[in-house]
Amino acid sequence: MTTLQTTILESINSPEDVKKLSISQMKILAEEIRQGVINRVNQIGGHLGPDLGITEATIALHYVFNSPVDKFVFDVSHQCYPHKMLTGRKEGFTNPVEHSEISGYFNYTESEHDPFMIGHTSTSVSLATGLAKARDLKGEKYNVIALIGDGSLSGGEAFEGFNNASVLSSNFILIVNDNEMSIAENQGGLYKNLQELRESNGTCSNNWFKTFGFDYVYVENGNDIETLIEAFKKVKDTNHPVVVHIHTLKGKGYEPAVQNKEWGHWTMPGFLDKKPSVSSVPECYETLTKEYILNAVKNDSSVVAVNAATPGVFWWNSDFRNALGKNYTDVGIAEQHACAYVSGLAKNGAKPIWAVHSSFVQRTYDQLSQDLALNNSPATILVFWGGITSADATHLGLFDISLISNIPNIVYLAPTCKEEYLKMLDWSVKQNEHPVVIRVPYFEFVSTGKEDYTDYSKLNKFEVVDKGSKVAIIGAGDFFGLAKEVKEELKSKFNIDATLINPKYLSGLDKELLENLKSDHEIVVTLENGILNGGFGEKISSFYGNSSMKVLNYGATKEFTDRVPMDELLTRYGLKKELICENIKKIL
Amino acid sequence: MTTLQTTILESINSPEDVKKLSISQMKILAEEIRQGVINRVNQIGGHLGPDLGITEATIALHYVFNSPVDKFVFDVSHQCYPHKMLTGRKEGFTNPVEHSEISGYFNYTESEHDPFMIGHTSTSVSLATGLAKARDLKGEKYNVIALIGDGSLSGGEAFEGFNNASVLSSNFILIVNDNEMSIAENQGGLYKNLQELRESNGTCSNNWFKTFGFDYVYVENGNDIETLIEAFKKVKDTNHPVVVHIHTLKGKGYEPAVQNKEWGHWTMPGFLDKKPSVSSVPECYETLTKEYILNAVKNDSSVVAVNAATPGVFWWNSDFRNALGKNYTDVGIAEQHACAYVSGLAKNGAKPIWAVHSSFVQRTYDQLSQDLALNNSPATILVFWGGITSADATHLGLFDISLISNIPNIVYLAPTCKEEYLKMLDWSVKQNEHPVVIRVPYFEFVSTGKEDYTDYSKLNKFEVVDKGSKVAIIGAGDFFGLAKEVKEELKSKFNIDATLINPKYLSGLDKELLENLKSDHEIVVTLENGILNGGFGEKISSFYGNSSMKVLNYGATKEFTDRVPMDELLTRYGLKKELICENIKKIL
């Protein structure tokens, strides 16, 4: 791994240096930035297409405006690499040793040029509206510039931001980076208007942005530095809200990313060296889910697979989408709608299966509560990627148990293996009584080979997998494996035959079973792959509060971790069989 | 209280009966419905203006469409009274004895004409999109009609719904009831477009609805039954999504509600008899908050009071709003934006104070987490109306502790009296380290007269108010009063000198204090005014899990309650000093 050699980029240590460049130097800079993007993504993975597409616009923005006095807010950060390279962080892109030092997201702890830490979508306009209003209240003068992609426009928070930003009576510049794509295709009626605007060079009479009262500038060639500089100069220091709608090419400069924009949105490392291959995919929860859905649709034409703009996360590729046809809905980046939509589907007798990231299910709490749970709509929601990870602080999957299991009426299930998962999924889709959420295991893929005969309609029945005494270990979801390890360690080290329990339900307690444990157990240990606060284990502690049963809760601490290695986190939280056994032994 | 006498309404037992009426009979029916609305609201309070305004449209809808085969979804339910009167529930409006039998909201447990239970805003389009899609998947044919007010359009979920509903390739009818008001004034750029549409009789070239691709019909006189019938007949059985934008008069038929639309939105009982009076208002958390804000703004021009479309809830009347001027922002029904906006304000050095209902703070979990907490923006959020109430299932304030206290970085404070509240508020506004949420007491107003000298920057320091032994009672927020009662009861009945603790913080434990309790206490009792699940008490139980300390957690059970009398709930949850003392005694 050698450092990328550049001529112009190496001289750029801050936006001040960009202002000294000629147009032709900026064009070279653009190419070097692209090399930086490709270099980093090829090494550690990341957002390829969006960053390649926004390169010229970022150079022009830093040429025209004066960050950090002028303030940039980049929506979702999928296009922040060029910005990082121009604001003192180029080594995160040119020098492989430093790639992981620089986050892939806007990060205020990294640079004064990033006012916020940002990783969820559709937030930039609202955040920037706050910056602008504070500026006005304090009587300060500078530009506030929000940048948002066309894909992010479909999120309700962005709309709320548009509605409010448009009535600011002061400087507010909103760059709409229209690359004709979300992560996958854009979804919804709004995108027809964007198309009309592009095709009419911004002149068509019906203009979504102008309906809010925004002033409006259209830039057809959003990858031409000179045109962009001209457009940005025109709006700089404006005294009212203005939208600059720029049309860019996602993936520009790297043809495979242009040709396959969905592939190029977030790309795995090593793509430069890889030959196209159709290697076989090992069995996993993603493949099982797809297979289940395809079969379910064959038997019941009301089954519909739903997702909110991230089909790739679940391996829902275009073959899968096409095979489903009308039985597939991508609602765009719109988790609130997704939740209410599946409630409506279920209420009217259809069988929706909505797959969603743990981190993004957070975007729809009220709809889970009001639209879904209060209405007892029998929809199925699959939460993927929940658990402790080394992810960015913006993409943690730690909070879903606390979020979902405390909502009345929702049945939150935690399978521990393939067989349970499929049984739960099938039960959920076929029943008509409850909203059901299934936490798809993330930590490891397990197949026991034993069919699951559980009747899940008998709610909150925990399974005693192995009956022992003294110590009971309740391992929820994909920490059931750790629970088994703890049991084995207790046996081998201390000759304790612990009881091993698979709770299966995160949303209710098996009070009878817990009560019975009192007769021959002294300690109950709970293990869950999420934050302890508000989670599963605390409920067990509360249950035993009036008894002499000791309870040890294991899970993550309430904190935002940022790219902390997994093993470090497991150690930090004591989630190692040796540490757990030591603690048990201390009490016994 | 006598039953309202009607001539036409008394003959209406289902929508079938509406279809038999002549236009002139329908006009009489409209006036009788208005009497029913006024009658009920005067008896038990409720939504006056919205229901008076939608009367003719509801008659026309039931005349043209065939509920329950055709399906209506009424956004937020603020305008569902006429619908209820036409669908077998007129006694809830004409007969005082039955007023409280019929809920003020769409309620699927009440009638097949209400497909959902609805009370939060901006959900109808998404819910109806689900109904329509299910219909299409099952190959059924009927109309799906969503009705949404202009005020509700500002919520992000509604936008997400519009974006998705507009691309349905089948029947979908969206009635936009434009009465030129939200609860208070409408907010945001979108409303300029609605004005333009009204002023141009729906013909102006820039049309927000058409930008999504909706077909569009405008009805200027939305209170004229014949015109409405004609318009609805035109769109009935349409094969594509169409918006019918009707212009109605909020409060029509009751002049005080027309003249003062904000007053008439939700009106207290007894308004018919009341003379206008300027009675003095007793001191309460609402008046204290207003006073604090007005003073704060005088000293710091960056202080800004923020709310999301419900200023009246906090008594933020027009005098207050005018006095604040630029230091006041109503963002419309847009809690997600509100949260991100205050984060932006705080990040740029301003001092936002956002007041919000417990029930509505649910609408912005992800923004609390990502936009606010992750960015450690020192904004102040005041959560009103949190706690056990006899409210409708759609308006419970039970979930905020579980929702907010489990988010990292947020300091969630629970004052127990006026003096603490003001000290916490002042500390929060002046500090620059943490996002702070304060749970404004709801259960009772208490003033101790003793100044609070606590340094709240020393996080998570519980206060021992009275040191005893054996039993420690931790009474959070406005259940501190109950904790005091329990202490007194223990003394008088069992001669136990219990320790009384005011935790002040809901978001973190005072581990040192809890540890010290072990030396001379056997039981810790926690009391909180919200659901136990995911709440404050469970964390205390978990803390003591490895010790011999007994813990009893008191609070509400995880359930949606619907208009259950307060005292019944307190008994159900064991929240009575006698019951609590008995349980303590059982363990000792």
Side-chain angles (χ1 to χ4, degrees), chain B residues 311-344:
Chain B
V313 169
F314 320 109
W315 304 13
W316 292 7
N317 55 14
S318 52
D319 286 352
F320 177 74
R321 277 127 65 176
N322 292 335
L324 288 180
K326 67 178 175 24
N327 297 93
Y328 172 76
T329 307
D330 181 344
V331 298
I333 298 169
E335 288 82 2
Q336 299 183 101
H337 172 78
C339 187
Y341 175 61
V342 298
S343 175

Side-chain angles (χ1 to χ4, degrees), chain B residues 51-99:
Chain B
D51 285 296
L52 293 173
I54 202 69
T55 300
E56 286 83 4
T58 310
I59 296 170
L61 284 171
H62 279 294
Y63 182 82
V64 173
F65 296 99
N66 303 307
S67 175
V69 174
D70 291 332
K71 303 205 182 309
F72 291 120
V73 187
F74 280 31
D75 205 89
V76 75
S77 306
H78 289 175
Q79 71 304 66
C80 69
Y81 297 175
H83 167 75
K84 292 203 168 197
M85 282 188 248
L86 301 180
T87 53
R89 290 168 282 180
K90 58 179 181 292
E91 285 77 12
F93 301 82
T94 56
N95 184 352
V97 179
E98 297 200 28
H99 282 161

Side-chain angles (χ1 to χ4, degrees), chain B residues 452-472:
Chain B
D452 179 10
Y453 294 105
T454 310
D455 175 2
Y456 287 100
S457 64
K458 290 178 185 157
L459 297 185
N460 305 328
K461 285 284 167 205
F462 294 4
E463 184 191 351
V464 176
V465 176
D466 213 336
K467 178 78 179 82
S469 62
K470 259 190 171 174
V471 178

Side-chain angles (χ1 to χ4, degrees), chain A residues 353-561:
Chain A
I353 302 170
W354 173 30
V356 58
H357 251 223
S358 166
S359 188
F360 301 148
V361 78
Q362 298 183 182
R363 295 164 63 93
T364 184
Y365 176 86
D366 197 48
Q367 292 70 32
L368 287 167
S369 176
Q370 294 275 321
D371 294 334
L372 184 78
L374 189 61
N375 284 292
N376 248 321
S377 300
T380 301
I381 302 178
L382 308 177
V383 172
F384 284 76
W385 293 20
I388 298 162
T389 63
S390 58
D392 290 83
T394 50
H395 285 71
L396 302 175
L398 292 172
F399 306 102
D400 61 275
I401 300 178
S402 171
L403 193 82
I404 294 169
S405 72
N406 297 318
I407 300 175
N409 296 359
I410 293 181
V411 178
Y412 199 7
L413 294 168
T416 67
C417 62
K418 163 187 167 179
E419 291 75 12
E420 276 179 7
Y421 173 61
L422 288 176
K423 184 69 192 286
M424 289 172 176
L425 179 53
D426 195 51
W427 168 73
S428 175
V429 170
K430 287 177 180 157
Q431 59 83 41
N432 290 306
E433 308 297 317
H434 314 283
V436 176
V437 187
I438 304 176
R439 196 172 205 243
V440 184
Y442 185 49
F443 200 63
E444 55 180 350
F445 180 75
V446 175
S447 173
T448 60
K450 285 184 247 167
E451 201 172 331
D452 180 11
Y453 293 104
T454 310
D455 175 2
Y456 287 100
S457 64
K458 291 180 184 156
L459 299 184
N460 305 327
K461 285 284 168 207
F462 294 4
E463 184 190 352
V464 176
V465 177
D466 213 335
K467 178 78 178 82
S469 62
K470 262 192 169 173
V471 178
I473 311 160
I474 308 182
D478 54 12
F479 271 6
F480 182 71
L482 179 59
K484 280 209 299 202
E485 285 179 25
V486 171
K487 179 185 159 60
E488 284 155 19
E489 182 88 354
L490 282 175
K491 180 67 186 168
S492 69
K493 267 213 179 145
F494 307 113
N495 199 28
I496 295 171
D497 263 323
T499 295
L500 180 66
I501 295 170
N502 173 2
K504 301 191 170 197
Y505 297 84
L506 296 169
S507 46
L509 299 185
D510 187 337
K511 291 186 181 174
E512 192 187 340
L513 181 146
L514 294 178
E515 195 59 45
N516 291 339
L517 289 181
K518 286 180 183 172
S519 66
D520 53 354
H521 290 76
E522 296 165 35
I523 304 181
V524 171
V525 179
T526 69
L527 297 165
E528 67 197 289
N529 195 3
I531 56 162
L532 285 170
N533 305 57
F536 173 77
E538 289 182 348
K539 291 167 184 62
I540 308 276
S541 296
S542 179
F543 176 86
Y544 285 119
N546 66 352
S547 78
S548 59
M549 183 75 85
K550 303 282 193 298
V551 184
L552 296 178
N553 298 141
Y554 284 91
T557 302
K558 182 175 78 167
E559 60 172 341
F560 292 118
T561 57

Side-chain angles (χ1 to χ4, degrees), chain A residues 117 120 126 133 138 156-157 160 206-207 326 337 348 366-367 371 375 405 507 542 545 551 553 558, chain B residues 117 120 126 133 138 156-157 160 206-207 326 337 348 366-367 371 375 405 507 542 545 551 553 558:
Chain A
M117 192 179 286
H120 280 200
S126 293
K133 177 74 177 178
K138 295 189 293 172
E157 187 181 355
E160 293 181 359
N206 220 17
N207 179 320
K326 68 179 173 26
H337 172 78
N348 206 8
D366 197 48
Q367 292 70 32
D371 294 334
N375 284 292
S405 72
S507 46
S542 179
V551 184
N553 298 141
K558 182 175 78 167
Chain B
M117 192 179 286
H120 280 200
S126 293
K133 176 74 177 179
K138 295 189 293 171
E157 186 180 356
E160 293 180 1
N206 220 17
N207 179 322
K326 67 178 175 24
H337 172 78
N348 205 8
D366 197 48
Q367 292 70 32
D371 294 334
N375 284 292
S405 72
S507 46
S542 179
V551 184
N553 298 141
K558 182 175 78 167

